[in-house]
Amino acid sequence: MTGTILHVAARDGLTFAEAMRHAPDGIALLTTPWRYEVVTAAEARRAAPEGVFEARVFDERTELRWLGGPDDPGRTVVLTEDPAALPAAFPDAGRLEAVGTETGGYLLWGRVVEASDGWTTLTTERIGTLRIPGEFGRGDRVALTTREYIAREPVHGNAYIAEERLLSFEVSAPHREKA
């Protein structure tokens, strides 16, 4: 794939709650000093855990990133290939013209032990349990999938990963096992 354009918009001075008004209706990864939470964007809007200082909220089309204090203004950035998905209230922060994209991912700790009501529980002895949105089969390994945007350095022509956007949770096919 070549010629992909990643559109970026950014805004300073938004609290977490204000930033969430512009987030896609997808999955929210929330970081606090005490824990890491995986919730839906709707749950994050309704009742975010205390002390959130970083958030990545995404669906397959758009990702919103927020970094700040629990009630302090922070920086909010929105990334998407669809310029119509950018919030109108956000100034254009530019665009990345990628020479190509690659699908990547991060294998999550643990294996599926239970799936119900649209959520799956992964567990491993060392780490404990993690609940993620989606239903996956017992014994499956799950990955957080990403899209990497490859750019070319103009002077010497070296290619590099200029940006990465979170997409979804999917079964990690190379690590799929029967229960």
Side-chain angles (χ1 to χ4, degrees):
M1 295 188 271
T2 62
T4 302
I5 296 175
L6 181 66
H7 300 273
V8 182
R11 187 166 169 198
D12 291 319
L14 296 180
T15 64
F16 174 71
E18 292 167 335
M20 285 303 297
R21 292 184 200 130
H22 303 283
D25 288 326
I27 300 165
L29 307 180
L30 307 177
T31 307
T32 76
W34 310 280
R35 66 181 184 264
Y36 191 76
E37 294 239 0
V38 180
V39 298
T40 65
E43 290 170 320
R45 285 185 190 102
R46 250 191 334 271
E50 183 181 336
V52 172
F53 65 85
E54 182 177 10
R56 290 183 78 172
V57 185
F58 60 95
D59 62 15
E60 293 197 12
R61 191 172 142 211
T62 305
E63 179 178 345
L64 176 137
R65 298 175 184 169
W66 179 83
L67 182 63
D71 297 314
D72 300 328
R75 179 157 179 82
T76 307
V77 177
V78 178
L79 307 153
T80 183
E81 292 176 21
D82 179 5
L86 294 173
F90 280 48
D92 184 348
R95 53 190 238 171
L96 168 68
E97 294 185 33
V99 296
T101 61
E102 282 292 324
T103 300
Y106 298 98
L107 185 64
L108 302 180
W109 284 92
R111 294 187 186 281
V112 174
V113 293
E114 179 183 45
S116 65
D117 298 325
W119 287 81
T120 292
T121 301
L122 302 163
T123 191
T124 182
E125 290 177 16
R126 242 187 229 175
I127 304 300
T129 62
L130 174 67
R131 287 183 43 83
I132 59 171
E135 291 193 20
F136 303 96
R138 185 170 179 78
D140 281 346
R141 301 290 305 264
V142 180
L144 174 57
T145 60
T146 63
R147 177 169 294 132
E148 297 173 334
Y149 295 86
I150 303 165
R152 189 167 304 282
E153 189 272 328
V155 176
H156 302 288
N158 295 324
Y160 63 97
I161 305 296
E163 190 57 80
E164 173 188 75
R165 190 167 57 83
L166 303 178
L167 301 174
S168 65
F169 291 113
E170 294 181 7
V171 170
S172 178
H175 295 97
R176 183 178 214 146
E177 290 185 16
K178 302 288 181 196

